[in-house]
Amino acid sequence: MSQRRVLKVFEQYQKARTEFVQMVAELATRPENIETLQNVGVISLLRTLLLDVVPTIQQTAALALGRLASYNDDLAEAVVKCDILPQLVYSLAEQNRFYKKAAAFVLRAVGKHSPQLAQAIVDCGALDSLVICLEDFDPGVKEAAAWALRYIARHNAELSQVVVDAGAVPLLALCIQEPEIALKRIAASALSDIAKHSPELAQTVVDAGAVAHLVQMLLNPDAKLKHQILSALSQVSKHSVNLAEMVVEAEIFPVVLTCLKDKDEYVKENASTLIREIAKHTPELSHLVVNAGGVAAMIECIGSCKGNTRLPGIMMLGYVAAHSENLAMAVIISKGIPQLSVCLSEEPEDHIKAAAAWALGQIGRHTPEHARAVAVTNTLPVLLSLYMSTESSEDLQVKSKKAIKSILQKCTYLPALEPFLYDAPPSILKHVVAQFSKVLFPWIFRYTSAEGGQLSTT
């Protein structure tokens, strides 16, 4: 009888602890409860329960801590100050898969807020344990560890380098090849956040053989996965010619062009960004994009979407056109100017209009033929109105003025220039008058170097 009474007391105590931690975890899902929970010192109470003898109580306490730490950096700092991280790191190596997932969730929640908090995770020795978790049999543990590593690496190059030095990149590349879609997504996202900081970090992703596997995964129908893969490939490609060529050599074309027709707007935007990052480097890479049908596909994509989804495609057309006369003519032949003019007129955001103005300037600046192709679409008056409008942003005004100047200096199609004689301010009018003079009195502009710039009527 006495033994039964003692056991009943402990059963009631365990039940109370279980109910308490479950209720706290539930309360932590509602923002209106967070301040109250913080004021009553819930983090210290949960720290004690992390050491509980009952595994489910430990796991639920970790889950509650992760939810609290996710809300703001003050709560995340409180988790660090309560010396909770060392216990979580120890548990990553010793506990079962359920606790490992919960512990990794807390590390992810703390590390996401700032480089300082991410560094606190590094300082407590978490990286080695998280990397070991990437080799765990359970895909949920791998996923949780990849999340935590991603949130550490995304802040800056120094933290990314620490993640690389811990040996995470080859294992993340292996995670891409796992059958679970959620694991593929976060592995691709983590690689993207590592590669974005520097050419050297991007090279580690290439050296791990990740690029070929990423390209293969573009055939997967999952939109979120394609979104993350395209982001990772873009981050690799953006740094240098060599890295962009490595992505191209992985046979990114023509599969990336199919992504421009995807129903998901993020897939379209990231596919456009990837092609932009490849095309911007050299005329040779731009030629490759053109020969693969990239310009025509991009123009079609721009016409099928709105807003920021259009932006990388607009910039890609500008980069291609900037490289050479022939590449600019490829944009003209593919009917890129009318589509850019639509963006210039229809888009409400100034930064998108500014990109379209810049791209049109890159097309029209090469020869009179290029300038005329822009001028006949009645784009110049739109650019002039944007330049003169007090409602236009400074960047839009600057880019509109530069585009007008670039086009006018090559334009010999007088009907397109005539309206400027009446509406243009002096800063633009002088270029218009100069073009009329070149067409009507070409001998004025013939100088001989031997005469030191003197006029020649020959």
Side-chain angles (χ1 to χ4, degrees):
M1 189 69 178
S2 176
Q3 182 181 7
R4 188 180 302 171
R5 289 180 62 187
V6 171
L7 291 175
K8 186 175 181 180
V9 170
F10 279 88
E11 288 172 1
Q12 290 174 339
Y13 178 50
Q14 179 176 324
K15 182 180 179 181
R17 299 198 314 276
T18 303
E19 290 178 350
F20 170 77
V21 76
Q22 287 175 344
M23 183 57 68
V24 170
E26 174 64 25
L27 291 170
T29 61
R30 301 185 180 92
E32 64 269 19
N33 298 326
I34 300 302
E35 185 177 354
T36 304
L37 288 170
Q38 185 177 8
N39 291 338
V40 298
V42 71
I43 290 178
S44 297
L45 297 173
L46 290 172
R47 179 185 182 277
T48 303
L49 293 174
L50 284 175
L51 304 172
D52 200 278
V53 294
V54 181
T56 56
I57 293 176
Q58 295 176 0
Q59 295 154 24
T60 311
L63 176 64
L65 281 168
R67 288 174 177 174
L68 289 165
S70 291
Y71 275 98
N72 56 53
D73 51 1
D74 288 338
L75 283 164
E77 287 176 6
V79 170
V80 174
K81 290 177 180 177
C82 283
D83 208 28
I84 290 172
L85 296 184
Q87 176 60 34
L88 294 171
V89 174
Y90 171 80
S91 301
L92 282 172
E94 301 294 331
Q95 295 284 4
N96 62 37
R97 60 193 175 98
F98 300 105
Y99 195 99
K100 287 179 180 179
K101 286 188 279 188
F105 173 58
V106 180
L107 295 175
R108 159 189 166 186
V110 171
K112 76 176 186 178
H113 292 290
S114 69
Q116 292 75 24
L117 287 167
Q119 186 63 52
I121 295 173
V122 173
D123 293 341
C124 74
L127 287 188
D128 289 340
S129 297
L130 288 169
V131 170
I132 290 171
C133 287
L134 289 177
E135 299 180 278
D136 198 275
F137 178 77
D138 184 85
V141 174
K142 293 179 182 179
E143 183 185 343
W147 270 109
L149 290 166
R150 178 206 170 187
Y151 276 123
I152 294 169
R154 72 176 184 171
H155 291 292
N156 55 48
E158 290 74 19
L159 286 166
S160 276
Q161 188 63 56
V162 175
V163 171
V164 169
D165 293 341
V169 172
L171 296 173
L172 289 168
L174 289 175
C175 288
I176 296 170
Q177 303 169 60
E178 296 287 344
E180 291 80 15
I181 292 294
L183 180 56
K184 290 176 184 288
R185 289 175 187 164
I186 185 55
S189 182
L191 290 171
S192 177
D193 281 325
I194 290 170
K196 72 182 182 182
H197 296 293
S198 71
E200 293 76 19
L201 288 165
Q203 188 66 52
T204 64
V205 174
V206 174
D207 292 343
V211 170
H213 296 299
L214 288 167
V215 174
Q216 290 173 4
M217 288 298 104
L218 282 176
L219 299 173
N220 194 293
D222 184 77
K224 290 183 179 179
L225 176 59
K226 286 190 283 189
H227 170 210
Q228 299 296 349
I229 288 170
L230 291 164
S231 174
L233 293 171
S234 299
Q235 298 296 354
V236 171
S237 301
K238 74 179 184 181
H239 293 290
S240 69
V241 176
N242 288 338
L243 288 166
E245 288 176 346
M246 289 177 184
V247 172
V248 171
E249 288 169 4
E251 299 183 357
I252 193 70
F253 294 103
V255 64
V256 69
L257 301 183
T258 64
C259 295
L260 295 175
K261 300 179 181 180
D262 200 276
K263 294 179 181 179
D264 188 275
E265 293 296 302
Y266 291 110
V267 173
K268 284 184 179 181
E269 183 176 353
N270 281 15
S272 300
T273 301
L274 172 56
I275 299 170
R276 179 194 71 191
E277 298 299 347
I278 292 171
K280 75 179 184 182
H281 289 292
T282 64
E284 291 75 19
L285 284 170
S286 279
H287 270 294
L288 188 148
V289 171
V290 171
N291 293 338
V295 168
M298 188 66 75
I299 292 167
E300 183 181 350
C301 176
I302 294 171
S304 68
C305 55
K306 301 289 182 183
N308 283 321
T309 307
R310 283 175 158 174
L311 184 59
I314 293 170
M315 294 178 68
M316 174 265 184
L317 295 179
Y319 280 127
V320 170
H323 285 303
S324 71
E325 295 178 13
N326 291 337
L327 287 167
M329 188 55 67
V331 176
I332 294 171
I333 292 170
S334 298
K335 302 188 185 305
I337 294 174
Q339 192 59 67
L340 290 171
S341 299
V342 168
C343 297
L344 194 68
S345 302
E346 292 185 355
E347 283 295 332
E349 297 292 336
D350 278 8
H351 68 282
I352 300 176
K353 290 181 178 181
W358 170 78
L360 287 164
Q362 298 304 313
I363 296 170
R365 70 181 179 86
H366 293 286
T367 69
E369 186 180 2
H370 292 80
R372 177 169 179 157
V374 177
V376 295
T377 61
N378 203 36
T379 298
L380 287 172
V382 178
L383 287 169
L384 180 62
S385 65
L386 291 172
Y387 165 60
M388 297 180 65
S389 174
T390 57
E391 296 180 359
S392 295
S393 67
E394 182 180 354
D395 183 54
L396 177 55
Q397 289 178 330
V398 169
K399 285 187 168 59
S400 295
K401 182 181 180 180
K402 286 184 176 179
I404 293 169
K405 181 179 177 181
S406 298
I407 297 165
L408 287 179
Q409 286 178 339
K410 294 295 181 180
C411 187
T412 57
Y413 181 60
L414 298 185
L417 301 181
E418 287 178 4
F420 282 79
L421 294 173
Y422 308 100
D423 302 326
S427 59
I428 299 295
L429 186 60
K430 64 182 181 181
H431 299 294
V432 178
V433 172
Q435 291 308 105
F436 269 94
S437 299
K438 287 180 183 179
V439 175
L440 299 178
F441 309 104
W443 57 270
I444 294 178
F445 289 89
R446 294 175 187 168
Y447 294 88
T448 60
S449 56
E451 293 173 338
Q454 295 298 314
L455 289 174
S456 172
T457 56
T458 58

